[in-house]
Structures are given as C-alpha cells and as structure tokens.
Amino acid sequence: MMRWDVHEQPDRLFAATGGRSRAYTEFDLVSLVVSESEPAAGMAPEAVQILRLCRHPMALVEVSARLRMPVGVVAILLSDLLAEGRISVRHPSSAAVGGAGRPAPRGAEPAPARLPDTGLVREVLVALKNL
C-alpha cells in the first residue's frame, strides 16, 4: 500500500488526477468496483493498485480507505479506468447475484441484493474522516 507524505500529498494528488477536480462519472460511496483487466505496463501506480484491489467487488469508499486517498480523487481515477473499460461499477442494490459476487444462474430466481452492513460503512466513514 502506498503511503502519502503529508507535505507531498497535494502535489501528488494533483498529478494523479491530471489536475482535474471532478470525475467524468457520478459514483455512489457504496458503488461496487470490479476489475475487468489486469494492469498493463506503463499504467499509473494508482491505477495498478486499484485494478489489483478490485479483483473482487469492493466499494468505492473501501478503495479510498485502502489507498489512503480522498474519495474525490479515487472517483476521478475510477472514472478514467471506467472510460478505458478496465473496471465495471455497479450499485449493490442493482445487481442480482448468486453468492460470492457471481451472476445468478440463467433461469434461477434472482437472489435479493445484499447491501453492505451499515455498521461497517459507518466505521469506514469514521476512518476516512480521521485520515
């Protein structure tokens, strides 16, 4: 995991986002992010970390916490990866899943979507505020 130096952070975050302050796509904090490809040579280190972290569905807020980067910056990076087709993003309540994040079998009754535990989401938000 990459650690950010407090004095270096604003410049580094500016460089990581290409100077942008807004994502091209709107994301919900609990949107699930899943890698659709492996990292490629020459990719930015932050993008490589995101693709490795999101091999299994992970909420945007959790990606932010693991990268130790602000949610807004992570949303910009995710927006770029989404535009390149390297990730897919979905809201947990919009996906019918059949256990372990796999799609429900064809013809099967869709399983009710499971939202993240609100206690866990609160803990993540508190941890983000403490950063």
Side-chain angles (χ1 to χ4, degrees), residues 101-119:
R102 291 183 299 266
R106 182 172 241 153
E109 195 67 30
R114 289 178 266 156
L115 294 175
D117 176 43
T118 48

Side-chain angles (χ1 to χ4, degrees), residues 86-130:
R86 296 191 171 278
I87 62 168
S88 59
V89 180
R90 65 179 185 259
H91 192 280
S93 65
S94 68
V97 293
R102 291 183 299 266
R106 182 172 241 153
E109 195 67 30
R114 289 178 266 156
L115 294 175
D117 176 43
T118 48
L120 175 64
V121 173
R122 282 190 190 115
E123 287 179 34
V124 171
L125 290 174
V126 168
L128 286 172
K129 287 180 184 176
N130 291 334

Side-chain angles (χ1 to χ4, degrees):
M1 180 178 338
M2 185 176 234
R3 299 214 182 251
W4 297 97
D5 180 357
V6 174
H7 302 291
E8 175 187 26
Q9 188 171 1
D11 293 340
R12 180 68 181 138
L13 297 177
F14 181 85
T17 62
R20 289 175 290 143
S21 61
R22 293 185 186 257
Y24 298 126
T25 308
E26 290 289 323
F27 295 102
D28 194 351
L29 289 176
V30 293
S31 294
L32 294 177
V33 180
V34 181
S35 299
E36 296 294 336
S37 69
E38 290 296 319
M43 289 182 75
E46 299 84 6
V48 170
Q49 286 180 307
I50 290 170
L51 291 177
R52 288 184 178 152
L53 279 173
C54 297
R55 287 183 176 139
H56 300 285
M58 184 176 290
L60 179 148
V61 70
E62 189 175 350
V63 174
S64 173
R66 296 224 182 160
L67 291 178
R68 305 183 127 229
M69 296 175 76
V71 172
V73 171
V74 172
I76 293 168
L77 298 173
L78 291 177
S79 179
D80 293 344
L81 290 170
L82 184 63
E84 295 169 9
R86 296 191 171 278
I87 62 168
S88 59
V89 180
R90 65 179 185 259
H91 192 280
S93 65
S94 68
V97 293
R102 291 183 299 266
R106 182 172 241 153
E109 195 67 30
R114 289 178 266 156
L115 294 175
D117 176 43
T118 48
L120 175 64
V121 173
R122 282 190 190 115
E123 287 179 34
V124 171
L125 290 174
V126 168
L128 286 172
K129 287 180 184 176
N130 291 334
L131 290 176

